[in-house]
Amino acid sequence: MTNESSKGQNTSAEETLRQRSFIELAQALTAQKSNTLGRPLTYCLTTFGCQMNEKQSEAVAGIMDEIGYHRQDNEEADVVIYNTCTVRENANLKVYGRLGHLHSLKDHNPDMKIILFGCMMQEQHVVDKIKKSYPFVNLVFGTHNIFKYAELFYEMLQSEQQIVDIWEGTDQIVEDLPTERNYTFKSGVNIMFGCNNFCSYCIVPYVRGRERSREPEAIVKEVKRLVADGVSEVMLLGQNVNSYGKTLEHPVTFAQLLEMLEDVEGLKRIRFMTSHPKDLSDELIETMAKSKKICHHLHLPLQSGSSRILKAMNRRYDKEKYLNLVDKIRTAIPDISLTTDIIVGFPGETEEDFEETLDVVSKCGYDTAFTFLYSRRSGTPAAEMEQIPQDVAKERFNRLLALVQQEGRIRSSRFEVSVQEVLVEEESREKGIFTGRTEYNLLVHFPGTADLLGKYVKVSLDECHGFYYMGSLVEE
């Protein structure tokens, strides 16, 4: 892998100008080829993984659009791009499987370009496998140098060789490059990159690097620009937003950043994820409680209810501290919607440990919980621990899922027959039925018309179906 550091690198403004020069060079090549073929050139971009990946895909899509490519869903395109995830082993296997299919497509269209980037590419054994077994892949890069995409793409267009450009880390943050938003009315906003927590089961710190925060002024500027372009809801993104600002020359807390964004005129809703329980401060709870714009939804990963397992996970809180934190949050914000992540079958988990997890689920009243079977990731401390039998883990997983669904139905149904404000996001597969979310992040389906997309409407939540509602518009 290429070991890059920030020493000798351009400033953010200089690098932005540099990358824009490569966009112009790629535009010329694209226009030339498009004229030769007598049609527009196309690309297909598929994203695996989290919202951080989705945000990075928007950046790649923005550059592809500006270069002159037209996006399509079909992989029979001129350029096929995979933004990869490596949180679980099956995510890697899925990419390898898709590459086999792309190889056959490329046999019929030798000019097709295939690009892989993202977390999976930060693992040396993956890159070695790509080089050896998938030489038809044209460009491979990771998570730290995505701002170089225009340059790498231009180099790929000029080369017959496979290009691999992986950085082991960086502290560079480059602003103001093109992006293509998935929605015109809401957007994710990266406030920080990387993670310093090193949970024993997690590969993220190894593939995304150490924490580095964006300057608050840059974040506020981006949000103001988004609002001017029609965005009314932003999702602030970071592996652990609660530790935002610690790496800045002049530290700023996450709560202080939220207060700055509260003052952005025209911004209606602020969401954020993910919050690590160990860093959730009283200041943040107070800021949420008094805010007019921060949605009353908090994703607070538990992972396990057992203090012993939490210690083995290196989570740096225990069951008692987590429950006390939930009590504090519910006292300050009584209508808060809480969601969580839970891992079942972590190495060494006993039946008693699992019962502790069930106990926390019963006490916390989550609206929903995202449950996962422990996935062994090579390179993490947990991979070297004694694993528990899969049949035991699956049996526990099913019991947890049943409890989560039961508790979630009870908790979510508290809004039944109430009228809530909903941001209309998209039309569902059933024509004439539209989908939106309340400030509590509850999904609502209701009859409507396309002119409602991106607007806030009053909806009567007529019938609770567990984790979503069927509703009807309320005339104002």
Side-chain angles (χ1 to χ4, degrees), residues 120-228:
M120 185 176 163
M121 300 304 114
Q122 289 294 146
E123 297 188 271
Q124 183 65 58
H125 69 92
V126 169
V127 175
D128 292 342
K129 183 170 183 175
I130 297 296
K131 289 178 178 178
K132 180 181 178 180
S133 302
Y134 305 95
F136 55 88
V137 172
N138 300 94
L139 171 62
V140 178
F141 64 102
T143 59
H144 303 300
N145 57 340
I146 189 170
F147 63 85
K148 279 185 63 183
Y149 178 67
E151 177 180 354
L152 294 171
F153 187 80
Y154 176 71
E155 289 179 6
M156 179 194 70
L157 294 180
Q158 299 280 71
S159 175
E160 295 297 321
Q161 304 299 315
Q162 185 179 77
I163 296 173
V164 177
D165 191 16
I166 308 294
W167 292 13
E168 290 184 3
T170 186
D171 60 5
Q172 191 167 12
I173 297 173
V174 179
E175 308 279 357
D176 299 328
L177 287 170
T179 186
E180 178 196 87
R181 300 200 309 272
N182 292 329
Y183 297 90
T184 58
F185 47 86
K186 70 173 186 174
S187 178
V189 175
N190 289 121
I191 65 170
M192 61 190 300
F193 305 92
C195 183
N196 289 352
N197 290 316
F198 289 93
C199 299
S200 64
Y201 53 83
C202 186
I203 198 74
V204 167
Y206 305 96
V207 297
R208 287 204 174 266
R210 305 300 163 267
E211 284 180 5
R212 56 198 192 280
S213 297
R214 294 177 64 195
E215 293 291 340
E217 295 81 9
I219 297 168
V220 172
K221 178 184 174 184
E222 179 179 350
V223 171
K224 285 182 176 178
R225 188 171 64 242
L226 287 168
V227 170

Side-chain angles (χ1 to χ4, degrees), residues 33 136 214 237 254 266 286 300 311 336 338 391 409:
K33 187 168 185 180
F136 55 88
R214 294 177 64 195
L237 298 172
F254 181 48
E286 182 182 342
L300 194 66
K311 186 175 181 179
I336 192 79
L338 278 182
D391 59 336
R409 277 192 292 270

Side-chain angles (χ1 to χ4, degrees), residues 59-341:
V60 167
I63 291 170
M64 292 297 291
D65 292 347
E66 195 148 327
I67 287 172
Y69 281 75
H70 293 236
R71 188 168 183 175
Q72 65 179 45
D73 294 331
N74 192 322
E75 289 184 336
E76 292 183 4
D78 296 294
V79 179
V80 177
I81 310 168
Y82 287 165
N83 182 356
T84 61
C85 171
T86 193
V87 171
R88 282 174 287 281
E89 189 72 40
N90 63 356
N92 292 28
L93 297 176
K94 187 180 293 186
V95 170
Y96 292 136
R98 299 274 288 260
L99 284 176
H101 171 62
L102 290 188
H103 194 189
S104 64
L105 291 179
K106 192 161 184 172
D107 284 342
H108 292 94
N109 179 16
D111 287 338
M112 173 191 279
K113 302 295 185 185
I114 299 172
I115 300 172
L116 302 178
F117 76 103
C119 293
M120 185 176 163
M121 300 304 114
Q122 289 294 146
E123 297 188 271
Q124 183 65 58
H125 69 92
V126 169
V127 175
D128 292 342
K129 183 170 183 175
I130 297 296
K131 289 178 178 178
K132 180 181 178 180
S133 302
Y134 305 95
F136 55 88
V137 172
N138 300 94
L139 171 62
V140 178
F141 64 102
T143 59
H144 303 300
N145 57 340
I146 189 170
F147 63 85
K148 279 185 63 183
Y149 178 67
E151 177 180 354
L152 294 171
F153 187 80
Y154 176 71
E155 289 179 6
M156 179 194 70
L157 294 180
Q158 299 280 71
S159 175
E160 295 297 321
Q161 304 299 315
Q162 185 179 77
I163 296 173
V164 177
D165 191 16
I166 308 294
W167 292 13
E168 290 184 3
T170 186
D171 60 5
Q172 191 167 12
I173 297 173
V174 179
E175 308 279 357
D176 299 328
L177 287 170
T179 186
E180 178 196 87
R181 300 200 309 272
N182 292 329
Y183 297 90
T184 58
F185 47 86
K186 70 173 186 174
S187 178
V189 175
N190 289 121
I191 65 170
M192 61 190 300
F193 305 92
C195 183
N196 289 352
N197 290 316
F198 289 93
C199 299
S200 64
Y201 53 83
C202 186
I203 198 74
V204 167
Y206 305 96
V207 297
R208 287 204 174 266
R210 305 300 163 267
E211 284 180 5
R212 56 198 192 280
S213 297
R214 294 177 64 195
E215 293 291 340
E217 295 81 9
I219 297 168
V220 172
K221 178 184 174 184
E222 179 179 350
V223 171
K224 285 182 176 178
R225 188 171 64 242
L226 287 168
V227 170
D229 196 36
V231 167
S232 63
E233 175 183 295
V234 295
M235 169 73 82
L236 307 180
L237 298 172
Q239 301 299 148
N240 175 16
V241 292
N242 295 341
S243 63
Y244 168 80
K246 292 180 180 179
T247 62
L248 296 173
E249 184 178 351
H250 303 289
V252 172
T253 67
F254 181 48
Q256 288 169 334
L257 174 65
L258 287 171
E259 288 175 344
M260 294 178 198
L261 295 174
E262 184 91 14
D263 294 334
V264 175
E265 190 173 343
L267 180 63
K268 187 173 176 66
R269 282 182 178 178
I270 302 172
R271 300 186 187 273
F272 57 84
M273 70 184 318
T274 297
S275 276
H276 197 301
K278 75 178 178 64
D279 295 314
L280 201 151
S281 65
D282 291 346
E283 179 193 26
L284 176 56
I285 295 172
E286 182 182 342
T287 299
M288 289 185 69
K290 69 183 182 183
S291 171
K292 297 279 194 289
K293 297 183 178 181
I294 302 172
C295 292
H296 284 191
H297 165 242
L298 182 62
H299 189 69
L300 194 66
L302 168 67
Q303 306 304 6
S304 174
S306 162
S307 295
R308 188 183 72 84
I309 293 296
L310 287 169
K311 186 175 181 179
M313 289 178 166
N314 194 35
R315 291 291 289 174
R316 285 174 277 179
Y317 57 84
D318 58 20
K319 176 183 179 181
E320 182 181 7
K321 287 181 181 177
Y322 186 93
L323 288 173
N324 287 341
L325 180 60
V326 169
D327 286 342
K328 191 182 293 185
I329 293 166
R330 289 205 181 280
T331 298
I333 316 167
D335 66 339
I336 192 79
S337 167
L338 278 182
T339 56
T340 196
D341 296 331

